[in-house]
Amino acid sequence: MQLQDASYNEKIETNLVTLSRHCPFKLRASSYHPKTGLAGGVNVQGEDVKKLDVIANEIFINCLKSCGKVSVMVSEENETAILVEDPALRGKYCVVFDPLDGSSNIDAGVSIGTIFGIYQVKENSTGEISDVLRSGREMIAAGYAMYGSFTILVLATSQGIKIPNRGKIYSVNEGNTKYWTPECRAYFDSIKNPSDASKSPYSARYVGSMVADVHRTLLYGGIFAYPADQKSKSGKLRLLYECFPMAFIMEHAGGYASTGSKPILDVTPASIHARSPIVLGSRDDVLDYESFAARES
Ligand code: AHG
Ligand code: MN
Ligand code: MN
Ligand code: MN
């Protein structure tokens, strides 16, 4: 069954050509694949860009540029920081964001989302890159929207929900097991095959959209990890607009977020797309992971 007729494809291609005039990476409109949602471009991360990545990115940049509250933006999809040029529109906040998290799940209809963190521009600064290359401790707010069976916005405030101190779910891509450190393998083995016969094994849940995996961990407790491994030596997830906002939210909910050996919010990124290993969730579970990671191999 032909899903789209020729005129539908022409319309899509015209839109993409218009869109591609503004977007930060090269789009080959003719290579748009209606069925897969691929936009035919590769972003600064080396990832295949989906049409929704482009559209979400453009919407957030345009809204944040015109709101008059923001001076500096960092987006996963833009190689360099975006400075608001018009002095009349520059504001006191810096927003770092992942416009669309979980892109690999778009065509499968699995939950995806948007992740963001907010810094305040430093004293006497007019808004430059040094305003965002700061530790997660300096973030003043963070949140995510999840677009799934329902749409939800989670915003970190001083009150809000409390994550259980210990959970019964672990969330990690076990397809990477062969690349893990022995300590990482030993930790996950200890919760899958507990040495104490009276303890039940943890359940496995892994969506592959950070927003969905973190949201479930926030509500049900347990541990989410994207550890460093032989393939991704610094881990895969980006500090500024994935790790920090989720760590900020976790700690506000009484949980904990670590690089695997120390609090991740204490890290200062060396560049706007710097990556880090991350282990977050119920405090006792993450501390257990750190105790395994600290063992000499
Ligand atoms: P993004 O779609 O913004 O590039 O993020 C994808 C990330 C994150 O959502 C998820 O936790 C992780 O990639 C999944 O990676 P693997 O497919 O390697 O498990
Ligand atoms: Mn991506
Ligand atoms: Mn992401
Ligand atoms: Mn993304």
Side-chain angles (χ1 to χ4, degrees), residues 52-64:
L52 271 184
D53 282 317
V54 177
I55 294 173
N57 196 41
E58 294 306 308
I59 290 171
F60 284 110
I61 291 173
N62 294 338
C63 290
L64 291 170

Side-chain angles (χ1 to χ4, degrees), residues 7-23 27 29 32 51 54-55 58:
S7 64
Y8 171 88
N9 287 338
E10 262 153 49
K11 260 190 239 122
I12 286 276
E13 293 202 0
T14 344
N15 290 343
L16 272 176
V17 171
T18 343
L19 210 53
S20 66
R21 279 201 201 100
H22 312 289
C23 78
L27 275 182
Y32 170 65
K51 196 163 80 74
V54 177
I55 294 173
E58 294 306 308

Side-chain angles (χ1 to χ4, degrees), residues 13 49 63 79-80 143 150 188 225 286 291 297:
E13 293 202 0
V49 173
C63 290
E79 186 153 4
T80 54
F150 55 85
F188 284 106
V286 180
S291 67
S297 50

Side-chain angles (χ1 to χ4, degrees), residues 218-232:
L218 190 62
L219 295 185
Y220 299 169
I223 188 166
F224 167 81
Y226 208 108
D229 60 31
Q230 291 158 23
K231 231 180 15 167
S232 324

Side-chain angles (χ1 to χ4, degrees), residues 245-293:
M246 294 314 203
F248 187 97
I249 292 163
M250 269 304 151
E251 295 214 351
H252 272 72
Y256 175 40
S258 164
T259 59
S261 55
K262 62 178 181 177
I264 197 164
L265 287 174
D266 292 344
V267 176
T268 299
S271 63
I272 61 172
H273 297 300
R275 298 172 193 260
S276 169
I278 185 163
V279 185
L280 59 76
S282 296
R283 175 164 292 278
D284 295 351
D285 287 312
V286 180
L287 289 172
D288 283 354
Y289 182 96
E290 284 190 341
S291 67
F292 273 78

